[in-house]
Amino acid sequence: MLKLDKAAILSALDHTLLKPQAGAADYQAFFQAVRDIPVASVCIPPNRVRAAQAALEGKNKICTVIGFPNGYQTPAVKAFEAKTAVAEGADEIDMVVCIGDVLSRDKDRLTDEVRRVREAVPEALLKVIIETGALFPDQIRWLCEILPPCGVDFLKTSTGFNFPGASLEAVHIMRQALPETIGIKASGGIQSLEEAMAYLDAGASRIGASRLLAACQSL
């Protein structure tokens, strides 16, 4: 059994609030709860980035989602959305690729949209969400081959919407297939500290979750 490491979990945690029903008061409570805690980032929708910057005052990195959750916006829209988010205070971008293009293995369309977002926000950390729960192992390996040259910093397993979330199997496949310089973010359904440690042990270096901060604070 893996030994729980609170500091390791917090330093890898993208503490997340992406519920569509969350309102301004929910986000203010969320920001106050995480302020001054050394998580990797707070992950929120683009329309909450300005509020996050004001509430957190640079004490936490701000991550936002682009093309979320379905990924079928045009590359131009995704690039504009990412650029606007960075201008408003986002440090990190988690973009969703078009799953239809993944399933049809349309390399040109996939690499074009990722490159366009990368060019729009050269200063931001870029994570690309590939929805591993909808894919076979060979499709995951293919994405691990074609996306790193586009300037990505991380591949991320899942949005947590529409498809199954993270799996240890997918993270193992990704870690074996990706260059060492490309990180892995496991996200979607990770609820316990034990699960988080297992994903870190499997090769993930970021964990996207909404419940782990409270679990860490209870240790």
Side-chain angles (χ1 to χ4, degrees), residues 10-32:
L10 284 176
S11 65
L13 178 60
D14 286 353
H15 183 46
T16 302
L17 180 56
L18 294 169
K19 293 179 180 179
Q21 67 269 34
D26 299 302
Y27 280 99
Q28 286 304 315
F30 172 83
F31 299 141
Q32 290 306 310

Side-chain angles (χ1 to χ4, degrees), residues 1 8 18 20 36 39 58 70 120 128 131 154 159 168 179 182 184 192:
M1 183 174 178
L18 294 169
D36 296 320
V39 296
N70 296 309
V128 176
E131 296 290 22
F154 280 76
T159 60
L168 289 171
I182 305 299
I184 296 168
S192 73

Side-chain angles (χ1 to χ4, degrees), residues 41-181:
S41 79
V42 295
C43 187
I44 54 174
N47 66 335
R48 304 297 176 177
V49 168
R50 282 189 184 273
Q53 187 183 47
L56 297 171
E57 298 181 323
K59 296 181 183 295
N60 301 93
K61 295 287 187 183
I62 298 171
C63 171
T64 197
V65 290
I66 298 300
F68 195 85
N70 296 309
Y72 46 31
Q73 294 86 345
T74 65
V77 168
K78 290 180 182 179
F80 177 81
E81 189 177 22
K83 188 171 184 177
T84 300
V86 169
E88 293 183 349
D91 304 288
E92 304 185 3
I93 297 295
D94 286 17
M95 70 168 288
V96 187
V97 293
C98 177
I99 190 65
D101 289 341
V102 173
L103 296 177
S104 61
R105 295 216 180 202
D106 195 329
K107 177 181 177 180
D108 289 343
R109 286 177 63 91
L110 286 166
T111 55
D112 175 64
E113 70 165 308
V114 175
R115 286 195 176 102
R116 289 176 71 171
V117 171
R118 173 78 285 172
E119 290 168 3
V121 290
E123 68 275 38
L125 193 76
L126 178 60
K127 311 185 202 98
V128 176
I129 306 171
I130 61 174
E131 296 290 22
T132 56
L135 306 177
F136 291 112
D138 66 304
Q139 294 169 314
I140 297 172
R141 293 188 188 96
W142 177 67
L143 290 169
C144 290
E145 175 186 343
I146 68 166
L147 295 181
C150 301
V152 305
D153 298 298
F154 280 76
L155 292 192
K156 176 179 171 181
T157 59
S158 322
T159 60
F161 290 69
N162 302 324
F163 300 103
S167 72
L168 289 171
E169 178 188 10
V171 170
H172 281 298
I173 291 168
M174 293 165 74
R175 190 65 281 159
Q176 292 170 359
L178 284 169
E180 291 183 3
T181 54

